């Protein structure tokens, strides 16, 4: 039986997948497509993470889609508002009816003979159990599956964990009924999740300790952007959004460049901000001064100094130390100090995952992505008709996701116009392999080995620069020297005998 076929299959119904579908509907109106989402709901990250205070850690004027103004006055927005924004986008553009929930994609096999991907998904029930396998085919496959493992976050093996009599939770799987009011809470970690959780939990917990092995740069910004509000009063929502977006893009780029060129100056500026918030007597050197330079790892943004206020009010405390082991009543530290706890939150991060954990094969040969080069931040050397979305590490994810979709739509339209069926990036000549990301963060270092490499030159180099990417992805040449195009393979011949030979029999 013929399999159901689409021009494009999108894997993932989160911010990127729904954005990709929106771009397709508008820029490639004739194309048939479906969005395969493994979970029972859309929204990805913004549906999965339910911990107290869940919010963005970059501003929504750059994290929103280019095509849909973010009109909420909160620049740093709570998870539920982001989720409604994503779902509203799906509803408004009629994308909803193209989304197939509970389709967890496991395998994708490319056949050069048919110029198609065959995509195999587990059909799951409401509890995530497999009930069937579904196969579909497509000409072009777009992976919008995020960058981390959905099944479980990363938790180190804490010695003595089994001895602890309280509750241990990971923010990726927050128990709906966890009651921490009046309890003693220890949050292990110093990243974005920890700094989000702590001020929120500190509102009702007896006390909250942020236990970190080493500090992170923490920067406070106003939850509401005054200039954005002024733009909104003066201009139409679309113009106001565009102006605020560009203001924030430019400020972000300047800040990043200065961090690279004058790290000491930026470091001083960040630490002065912390000192102003916590007072001259607070031990900033121990608790808020990382050993690395700003942007060697992602900075943590906090809205309206909420973390600092919780520390100032003595509702939260920072302890910088290492864990010796869990005890019955809490955590014993290497310094000999013991932290008493009823609830321990392991805000220890995500486990990176390459392309949604899908097994890929090209003409029967398994693809090992760590041996591929990444083309323009989205395609892979020697892998035909496959693109994936991976956002910026130094700016909002969506800025890059939007540009990725722009490029893929241009590629699809070029292929249609020129009657190409196959587009395969091919490295021409020698090139140095560079790690995909140059972040020193633990979660990146743990998982980056499985990622593709970037090259030392265009179009294989990742610039992490929105302005350069606009030039390359929105206006750059599609038919470049390192993208190989092929027309549709000739129809498969069933018999090797000529019609004359058959007639003579
Ligand atoms: C807590 C948290 C806060 C964040 N805050 C910010 C922020 O403020 N700013 C920012 O720029 N970035 C932030 N990020 C990064 C964030 O993940 C992205 O901004 C954005 O949500 C990514 O959207 P996405 O659709 O690409 O991926 P996701 O949101 O991860 O969605 C991927 C979707 O693909 C589905 N999927 C995965 N594998 C498969 C498969 N094999 N088959 C079928 N479906 C599959 C998943 O179920 C999911 O629905 C944050 C991340 C986290 C975890």
């Amino acid at each position: 039986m013929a399999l159901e076929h689409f021009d494009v299959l999108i894997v993932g119904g989160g911010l990127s997948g729904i954005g990709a579908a929106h771009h397709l509907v508008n820029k490639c109106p004739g194309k048939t497509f479906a969005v395969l989402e493994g979970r029972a709901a859309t929204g990805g990250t913004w549906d999965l993470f339910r911990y107290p205070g869940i919010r963005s850690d970059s501003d929504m004027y750059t994290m929103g889609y280019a095509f849909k103004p973010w009109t909420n006055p909160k620049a740093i927005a709570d998870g539920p508002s982001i989720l409604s924004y994503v779902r509203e986008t799906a509803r408004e553009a009629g994308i909803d009816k193209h989304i197939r929930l509970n389709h967890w994609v496991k395998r994708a096999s490319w056949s050069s003979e048919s110029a198609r991907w065959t995509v195999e998904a587990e059909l799951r029930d409401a509890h995530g159990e497999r009930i069937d396998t579904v196969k579909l085919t497509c000409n072009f496959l777009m992976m919008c599956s995020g960058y981390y493992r959905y099944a479980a976050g990363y938790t180190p093996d804490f010695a003595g964990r089994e001895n602890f009599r309280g509750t241990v939770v990971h923010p990726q799987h927050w128990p709906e009924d966890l009651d921490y009011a009046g309890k003693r809470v220890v949050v292990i970690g110093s990243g974005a999740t920890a700094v989000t959780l702590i001020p929120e939990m500190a509102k009702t917990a007896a006390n909250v300790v942020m236990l970190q092995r080493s500090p992170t740069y923490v920067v406070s910004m106003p939850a509401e952007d005054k200039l954005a509000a002024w733009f909104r009063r003066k201009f139409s929502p679309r113009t106001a959004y565009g102006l605020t977006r560009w203001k924030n893009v430019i400020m972000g780029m300047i800040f990043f460049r200065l961090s690279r060129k004058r790290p000491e100056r930026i470091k001083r500026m960040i630490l002065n901000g912390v000192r102003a918030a916590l007072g001259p007597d607070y031990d900033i050197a121990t608790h808020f001064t990382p050993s690395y330079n700003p942007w060697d790892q992602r900075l943590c943004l906090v809205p309206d100094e909420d973390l600092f206020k919780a520390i100032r009010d003595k509702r939260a405390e920072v302890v910088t130390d290492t864990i010796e082991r869990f005890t019955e009543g809490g955590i014993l530290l290497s310094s000999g100090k013991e932290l008493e706890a009823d609830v321990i939150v392991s805000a220890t991060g995500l486990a990176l995952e390459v392309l949604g954990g899908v097994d890929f094969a090209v003409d029967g040969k398994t693809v090992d992505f760590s041996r591929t080069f990444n083309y323009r931040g989205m395609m892979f050397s020697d892998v035909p008709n496959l693109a994936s979305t991976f956002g910026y590490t130094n700016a909002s994810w969506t800025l890059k996701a939007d540009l990725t979709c722009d490029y893929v739509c241009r590629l699809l339209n070029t292929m249609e116009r020129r009657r190409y069926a196959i587009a395969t990036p091919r490295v021409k000549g020698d090139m140095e392999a560079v790690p995909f990301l140059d972040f020193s963060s633990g979660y990146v270092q743990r998982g980056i080995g499985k990622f593709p490499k970037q090259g030392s030159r265009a179009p294989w180099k990742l610039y992490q620069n929105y302005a350069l990417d606009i030039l390359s992805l929105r206006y750059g040449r599609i038919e470049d020297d390192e993208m190989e195009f092929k027309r549709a393979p000739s129809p498969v011949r069933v018999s090797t005998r000529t019609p004359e030979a058959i007639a003579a029999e």
Side-chain angles (χ1 to χ4, degrees):
M1 200 179 72
L3 301 177
E4 194 178 4
H5 181 76
F6 295 91
D7 291 323
V8 182
L9 278 176
I10 297 170
V11 178
L15 186 74
S16 303
I18 287 172
H22 190 282
H23 281 271
L24 264 184
V25 167
N26 285 285
K27 295 178 184 144
C28 306
K31 298 269 180 238
T32 57
F33 74 93
V35 179
L36 303 179
E37 168 52 56
R39 300 177 67 243
T42 55
T45 298
W46 304 103
D47 182 66
L48 176 75
F49 280 83
R50 302 290 178 102
Y51 59 75
I54 170 78
R55 58 161 172 81
S56 66
D57 57 10
S58 60
D59 78 278
M60 288 306 299
Y61 303 105
T62 55
M63 189 151 138
Y65 299 115
F67 54 80
K68 182 173 165 66
W70 175 260
T71 52
N72 183 326
K74 288 252 184 282
I76 296 185
D78 57 273
S81 308
I82 303 172
L83 185 59
S84 355
Y85 171 81
V86 173
R87 290 188 177 156
E88 196 178 277
T89 307
R91 262 198 318 278
E92 284 170 359
I95 292 162
D96 271 358
K97 55 180 186 291
H98 297 274
I99 301 176
R100 303 194 180 183
L101 297 174
N102 299 310
H103 280 63
W104 198 270
V105 176
K106 303 297 279 183
R107 253 172 297 282
S109 319
W110 169 261
S111 154
S112 295
E113 204 177 328
S114 60
R116 285 182 175 192
W117 285 101
T118 301
V119 174
E120 207 176 304
E122 266 184 22
L123 189 62
R124 295 184 172 182
D125 65 13
H127 309 288
E129 296 299 322
R130 192 186 87 84
I131 46 177
D132 203 354
T133 299
V134 178
K135 280 188 184 178
L136 306 159
T137 57
C138 65
N139 300 334
F140 198 95
L141 184 56
M142 176 110 194
M143 297 299 295
C144 295
S145 46
Y147 63 102
Y148 60 86
R149 188 175 65 192
Y150 264 71
Y154 170 73
T155 310
D157 288 329
F158 295 117
R161 183 183 161 149
E162 64 288 356
N163 299 330
F164 179 59
R165 283 194 310 221
T167 311
V168 181
V169 293
H170 191 287
Q172 194 164 323
H173 300 282
W174 196 266
E176 227 173 282
D177 55 353
L178 181 71
D179 179 13
Y180 54 85
K183 305 254 171 76
R184 296 161 304 173
V185 178
V186 174
V187 178
I188 304 171
S190 59
T193 302
V195 304
T196 301
L197 265 169
I198 287 163
E200 187 60 30
M201 293 186 85
K203 287 179 184 163
T204 56
N207 71 301
V208 182
V209 173
M210 170 164 149
L211 172 59
Q212 59 178 12
R213 193 167 45 187
S214 53
T216 304
Y217 288 108
V218 182
V219 176
S220 175
M221 77 178 256
E224 292 189 18
D225 182 332
K226 287 213 172 79
L227 195 52
W230 187 81
F231 286 149
R232 270 200 304 278
R233 283 198 301 278
K234 296 281 168 202
F235 303 104
S236 70
R238 190 160 288 280
T239 309
Y241 181 57
L243 289 170
T244 311
R245 192 172 162 87
W246 269 108
K247 164 185 81 72
N248 291 359
V249 163
I250 292 167
M251 276 171 45
M253 279 170 36
I254 293 174
F255 188 71
F256 180 75
R257 272 203 81 71
L258 278 176
S259 301
R260 285 282 184 255
K261 291 206 140 178
R262 307 234 189 294
E264 279 309 317
R265 210 166 115 194
I266 295 297
K267 187 170 176 172
R268 226 176 16 253
M269 201 177 95
I270 296 174
L271 298 183
N272 284 344
V274 180
R275 197 165 295 111
L278 290 176
D281 299 332
Y282 191 85
D283 185 359
I284 285 161
T286 305
H287 302 310
F288 284 98
T289 312
S291 54
Y292 55 84
N293 283 328
W295 278 120
D296 284 353
Q297 297 187 15
R298 220 179 149 101
L299 305 184
C300 283
L301 268 193
V302 297
D304 294 333
E305 298 190 350
D306 65 357
L307 175 73
F308 302 135
K309 277 183 193 148
I311 296 171
R312 264 193 335 244
D313 299 347
K314 309 253 179 291
R315 289 177 287 119
E317 174 194 355
V318 184
V319 171
T320 306
D321 207 330
T322 48
I323 297 174
E324 188 67 29
R325 62 185 156 82
F326 279 27
T327 60
E328 274 188 14
I331 299 176
L332 180 67
L333 302 173
S334 307
S335 61
K337 185 175 170 181
E338 187 164 352
L339 298 176
E340 292 181 351
D342 305 304
V343 177
I344 296 176
V345 181
S346 179
T348 41
L350 307 162
L352 284 189
E353 182 142 83
V354 183
L355 298 176
V358 174
D359 292 329
F360 283 84
V362 171
D363 294 327
K365 202 164 165 252
T366 301
V367 180
D368 174 354
F369 283 97
S370 70
R371 301 178 79 91
T372 65
F373 278 100
N374 193 243
Y375 174 88
R376 292 186 193 269
M378 69 181 85
M379 293 179 76
F380 306 91
S381 54
D382 304 327
V383 184
N385 293 17
L386 174 72
S388 81
T389 301
F390 201 98
Y392 291 119
T393 51
N394 62 356
S396 285
W397 180 275
T398 323
L399 291 171
K400 180 68 179 286
D402 269 336
L403 289 181
T404 301
C405 297
D406 265 334
Y407 176 87
V408 168
C409 290
R410 289 204 304 130
L411 175 67
L412 292 174
N413 289 337
T414 304
M415 289 170 75
E416 182 165 325
R417 207 176 48 249
R418 307 268 283 165
R419 295 172 185 270
Y420 296 141
I422 308 177
T424 315
R426 304 267 191 214
V427 177
K428 299 270 168 69
D430 290 338
M431 187 168 58
E432 196 189 321
V434 181
F436 187 67
L437 300 175
D438 69 346
F439 256 17
S440 58
S441 318
Y443 75 99
V444 173
Q445 293 308 313
R446 280 195 302 275
I448 201 66
K450 293 189 225 135
F451 273 65
K453 304 287 179 286
Q454 56 166 314
S456 45
R457 58 172 169 80
W460 307 94
K461 191 170 161 62
L462 271 179
Y463 290 98
Q464 301 283 0
N465 180 312
Y466 184 58
L468 284 180
D469 283 341
I470 287 184
L471 295 177
S472 155
L473 302 179
R474 200 171 280 166
Y475 303 109
R477 226 156 44 99
I478 295 284
E479 293 177 79
D480 71 21
D481 295 344
E482 289 175 283
M483 179 67 93
E484 178 191 277
F485 289 100
K486 282 192 178 159
R487 297 196 196 278
S490 46
V492 182
R493 289 171 68 183
V494 179
S495 168
T496 52
R497 292 174 303 159
T498 61
E500 293 77 25
I502 295 170
E505 277 177 9

